[in-house]
Amino acid sequence: MADLTVVIVDDHSIFRSGLRHDLDREIDVVGEAADVAEAVAVIAARQPDVVLLDVHLPFGEGNRAEAEATGGEAVLRRAAPLSPDTRFLALSVSDAAEDVVRVIRAGARGYITKGASGSEVSRAVRTVADGDAVFSPRLAGFVIDAFGAAAGETAATDDELDRLSAREQEVMRLIARGYAYKEVAADLFISIKTVESHVSAVLRKLQLSSRHELTAWASARRLL
């Protein structure tokens, strides 16, 4: 399998160095940046598969901050059109609902906190590169404010849930919240293969095609 290319955007050089060291060998860090201006230039030049993006960044010398925008949002708005195949994964110390919602609205495909291990970040990079969304456990519910249910949208929820067994509903909620298969298995005292079987059944019964769609489905019905 070809290496995934990544750019790390964070204003702390020690964090960037540590993360570069902790990522899996199959993930190739092709650039780094410490502020918005540097990030846009590096992303445009390197065209990475994924950008690991801190939410709160300085804008850089000579750069005017966009009104009401964090540095991470500014990178997304400026760099995404210059590297259309790149996906963005927010990686921040903040777990505030406002930060999660704002950066997802701006176009990030996921949001994980800096408490994640190197292997967890590597797994999240692969998930985002494959086109799915990923969130640290319990952060997924924050997207409800941005992508929540419209009036009357939950009317058929009971009928939809009736398609799932009690165990499938448990698995569905944990997966939709961003838990890894291993974490679901440990939480429910079942094997990882059993979790995989339940997820396949849930996606089939709900006529969904990915974890990203499952998170959106569960968020819209306020099931998180």
Side-chain angles (χ1 to χ4, degrees), residues 104-203:
I104 296 302
R105 276 190 182 278
R109 296 289 297 177
Y111 194 115
I112 57 178
T113 60
K114 288 183 177 178
S117 66
S119 61
E120 289 170 334
V121 176
S122 298
R123 185 165 57 244
V125 167
R126 293 191 185 91
T127 299
V128 169
D130 286 340
D132 279 341
V134 63
F135 299 91
S136 289
R138 290 169 291 279
L139 292 188
F142 294 152
V143 301
I144 291 174
D145 290 338
F147 310 106
E153 189 177 349
T154 60
T157 298
D158 288 343
D159 288 341
E160 291 172 313
L161 287 176
D162 283 343
R163 303 173 194 170
L164 308 180
S165 69
R167 178 63 88 186
E168 287 169 350
Q169 291 185 36
E170 291 178 314
V171 171
M172 175 272 293
R173 284 184 169 89
L174 292 175
I175 291 294
R177 288 171 183 164
Y179 284 73
Y181 286 1
K182 179 174 66 176
E183 294 168 323
V184 176
D187 196 67
L188 299 180
F189 301 101
I190 56 180
S191 71
I192 294 176
K193 285 191 174 183
T194 301
V195 174
E196 292 173 348
S197 296
H198 284 318
V199 172
S200 295
V202 167
L203 294 177

Side-chain angles (χ1 to χ4, degrees), residues 7 11 14-15 31 34 54 68-71 80 86 91 104 112 116 131-132 140 145 151 164-165 171 181-182 211:
V7 164
D11 60 336
I14 292 177
F15 177 79
D54 194 7
E68 303 300 324
T70 66
T86 296
L91 179 59
I104 296 302
I112 57 178
D132 279 341
D145 290 338
L164 308 180
S165 69
V171 171
Y181 286 1
K182 179 174 66 176
R211 290 181 59 153

